[in-house]
Amino acid sequence: MKKIILLLIVLYLLFGFSFAQEDLTLFDAKSAGLGFTFVTLNSEGETYFFNPATLSLKKFSYLSFSIDSNNNQTVKISYFYPSTTFYALSVDFTFDPNTQQYTFKNIRGAISFPLTNYLYFGTSANYIEEQKLIKGNLGILLKVGNIKTGIVGEGITIEKLSDNEYKVTTLLKYSLGLNLSLFNDTTNLYLDVVDIEKFSNTKDLDLLRFGLEQNLGNILVIRLGSSGNITDIQNYTLGIGLNLNLLNLSLSTFLDREDSSNLKLKYKLTGTLRF
């Protein structure tokens, strides 16, 4: 009974928060290759922040790094530690070759824990130094056999206006996701609906994200996805993964609109080292 009451409270809180469109550089290569899906994805890097409940899918402790074509001087580093309670920490590491100086910024953290044997809850926070802003997310993940489903929302935003003044904001949107694993986990299908309330009102297909992952043997993984309307080829993403025992590498490529008229082909690379 206590777990049921706790779950109802969590769901009430979750539906009062939101998920908003984010910078594509905030997703790791595995997510990028799968159409930037995130709600039920066992990501390899910083994507965990969007639905922290997915940390419950981790089986090993490992360190990850991500770089992208936007800024090759910045490396996103994440540390994952699975146990009874799962947690992760990430930070952006930037090196300036002109000044020979390095900085650490945009610290992210998350924790996930079970509500039942099948249901996990997670919460995360991200400190964005340039904006003096803290963003928090909440997420729930349900695992039943080969099916995973989840709900995730962007939570409280705390903005520092001055030394003694802060602005706290909550929004009213949320996202849903589904993952279907087939053929002994060699094939995975992912479907996310970003901003489910807006989608139900407008039926905007750009709010849908789709991903397909196929394992070819024990080493090679092929990924295909769409970050919006699947009838628009500009939304499609491609990815490849290499599983080399303790070392995994994922590379993805996608089109990103830098302004109202220009599209640019970009890539993302994520590597993980398992302990």
Side-chain angles (χ1 to χ4, degrees):
M1 180 60 68
K2 290 182 178 179
K3 291 183 177 179
I4 294 175
I5 294 174
L6 177 60
L7 175 59
L8 292 175
I9 294 173
V10 169
L11 288 173
Y12 172 79
L13 291 173
L14 184 57
F15 276 87
F17 295 116
S18 71
F19 176 84
Q21 181 67 29
E22 296 286 353
D23 185 346
L24 297 183
T25 63
L26 300 178
F27 296 84
D28 59 60
K30 183 176 181 179
S31 172
L34 293 168
F36 297 95
T37 52
F38 62 92
V39 178
T40 58
L41 181 66
N42 184 7
S43 67
E44 296 177 343
E46 58 274 22
T47 302
Y48 77 87
F49 170 80
F50 293 100
N51 184 5
T54 58
L55 293 177
S56 63
L57 302 174
K58 303 299 178 189
K59 297 180 180 179
F60 304 98
S61 300
Y62 64 89
L63 186 70
S64 80
F65 65 89
S66 292
I67 59 175
D68 58 67
S69 54
N70 287 335
N71 189 347
N72 292 330
Q73 299 173 5
T74 298
V75 179
K76 299 178 185 295
I77 303 172
S78 299
Y79 174 70
F80 298 84
Y81 183 78
S83 60
T84 303
T85 299
F86 309 82
Y87 68 81
L89 295 171
S90 295
V91 66
D92 294 354
F93 172 78
T94 302
F95 177 74
D96 189 339
N98 297 322
T99 62
Q100 297 295 306
Q101 294 182 342
Y102 61 86
T103 58
F104 293 95
K105 60 181 181 180
N106 295 336
I107 300 173
R108 296 172 293 276
I111 189 169
S112 174
F113 54 87
L115 297 176
T116 70
N117 291 333
Y118 305 100
L119 190 65
Y120 287 82
F121 170 75
T123 182
S124 60
N126 181 17
Y127 176 66
I128 305 174
E129 185 174 355
E130 292 89 347
Q131 304 176 28
K132 303 299 181 183
L133 193 71
I134 297 176
K135 299 175 64 177
N137 286 25
L138 299 173
I140 288 179
L141 184 71
L142 175 67
K143 301 185 295 180
V144 180
N146 295 328
I147 300 176
K148 302 181 186 72
T149 185
I151 178 172
V152 60
E154 184 174 333
I156 300 174
T157 299
I158 305 174
E159 181 180 2
K160 184 176 182 180
L161 301 178
S162 64
D163 290 340
N164 299 316
E165 186 177 6
Y166 294 85
K167 180 182 178 181
V168 179
T169 306
T170 59
L171 303 176
L172 297 173
K173 303 174 186 175
Y174 57 94
S175 300
L176 299 174
L178 176 69
N179 165 230
L180 179 60
S181 179
L182 303 170
F183 312 117
N184 295 322
D185 203 29
T186 60
T187 303
N188 277 283
L189 298 172
Y190 298 91
L191 178 64
D192 288 359
V193 183
V194 179
D195 193 345
I196 188 66
E197 183 178 2
K198 183 178 179 180
F199 178 77
S200 64
N201 293 329
T202 65
K203 302 300 186 291
D204 185 357
L205 297 181
D206 282 328
L207 299 174
L208 297 178
R209 298 184 186 183
F210 168 79
L212 173 63
E213 181 180 59
Q214 179 64 52
N215 289 269
L216 303 177
N218 297 322
I219 297 178
L220 183 63
V221 183
I222 302 297
R223 301 182 178 109
L224 171 69
S226 173
S227 59
N229 190 337
I230 61 174
T231 63
D232 187 350
I233 196 171
Q234 295 180 352
N235 292 326
Y236 277 81
T237 66
L238 293 172
I240 187 172
L242 293 176
N243 299 323
L244 306 173
N245 197 6
L246 300 181
L247 176 65
N248 289 357
L249 293 173
S250 290
L251 177 66
S252 64
T253 183
F254 53 92
L255 290 171
D256 189 17
R257 191 177 298 278
E258 294 188 327
D259 53 45
S260 60
S261 58
N262 295 326
L263 282 172
K264 184 177 181 181
L265 185 66
K266 297 184 178 180
Y267 70 84
K268 187 91 174 189
L269 174 66
T270 299
T272 63
L273 181 62
R274 195 176 76 190
F275 293 97

